[in-house]
Amino acid sequence: MTTHQIVLTGDRPTGPLHLGHYAGSLRTRLALHQSHRQYVLIADNQALTDNGHDPDRIRRNIVEVATDYLAVGLDPARTTICLQSGLPVLADLTQLYLNLVTVARLERIPTIRAEIAARGFGRAVPAGFLVYPVSQAADITAFGASLVPAGADQAPLIELANEIVQKVNRQAGRDLLPTIECLLSTAPRLPGADGAGKMSKSAGNALPLSADRTTIKAFVDSMYTDPGHLRVSDPGRVEGNVVFAYLDAFDPDQEEVAALKARYRRGGLGDVPLKRRLAGILNDLLAPIRERRGDLARRPDDVQDILRHGTEAARAATAETGAAIRAVLATQKLI
Ligand code: TRP
């Protein structure tokens, strides 16, 4: 099935992608890419909003993230992979949209509040960081995208983007921009090995997509299970048990997972065979990705070429809508 809905997603290139990205968004993109026109944006300018002191970190990770996309199987013939900083129209629209949004509105966005708190910014939040939701609205609208698959934390940003869409359309006197639908990920947040929070590179609990068999085994062995489950014969807890959270997310045989949970709860099933099962499943999942990644890592110029072509295609794809939005909001039509 092909629909006319345009899909846009993005990632900040702050590090190589990990298994949490795979469970939360890469899997969805692989599915959507069969049926939709899809753009995937490497949001380097957005990544700079809290890394302004270290552009080199972002620079280094652009090709890493592009390599991850290709390694998981996104086909550049079907999904356009592009670089935010290579699309000046996005910066241009951001500047225009900033005039339609108040500081108070931005400060109320729960996602931004949480991120400011997590980074300990307080009042010293970089101005660019506070307004990144506006730049994200520019990303989405420039592509004429109407479907954004994302986690629940992104929903308030889509709400803001839709307010901007309404303002632009009101000023245009017509439906220039489509309403944006957030396709909420049904996958529960994948916890890190410690079970303390979601998997994230900064928390040091992430499994990169490039992990080899030994790394996978060590990662699984370190997983938090049930500290009260001392002897194999003891009843064990499934809730909060990281191994089961991963089996839920990745085991192709969910009937077997249900049976294993029942046995674990009853007592008589130890952590060791469960961890062995999970390590095997993760290795089966990551082995082909790792192999393609290894191959691509040997030809970074090819990856750069794919990114360059994708960005050129994205420039063409955003030109018309970009010009139409400028014609409404700016004092002068550029070019
Ligand atoms: N904020 C997103 C993230 O942190 C990245 C992003 C940038 C994005 N532009 C976007 C997501 C446009 C969806 C649509 O992962």
Side-chain angles (χ1 to χ4, degrees), residues 8-12 41 43 46 84 132 136 139-140 148-149 154 157:
L8 178 73
T9 51
D11 292 291
R12 299 178 193 175
L41 184 72
Q46 187 179 116
Q84 191 178 35
Y132 91 71
Q136 195 155 309
D139 300 341
I140 300 167
V148 177
Q154 296 285 305
L157 304 191

Side-chain angles (χ1 to χ4, degrees), residues 12-84:
R12 299 178 193 175
T14 51
L17 301 183
H18 54 64
L19 198 62
H21 293 111
Y22 186 83
S25 65
L26 295 170
R27 244 189 327 206
T28 312
R29 293 179 201 177
L30 287 169
L32 283 170
H33 126 132
Q34 308 296 336
S35 53
H36 289 70
R37 185 84 209 83
Q38 177 166 245
Y39 295 89
V40 176
L41 184 72
I42 300 183
D44 55 342
N45 281 342
Q46 187 179 116
L48 285 174
T49 63
D50 62 342
N51 286 281
H53 56 286
D54 193 7
D56 210 37
R57 170 173 175 209
I58 308 307
R59 233 173 259 141
R60 271 198 315 274
N61 281 302
I62 291 169
V63 173
E64 290 291 321
V65 170
T67 304
D68 285 329
Y69 290 156
L70 297 169
V72 298
L74 282 179
D75 172 2
R78 303 191 63 102
T79 292
T80 304
I81 301 171
C82 54
L83 185 63
Q84 191 178 35

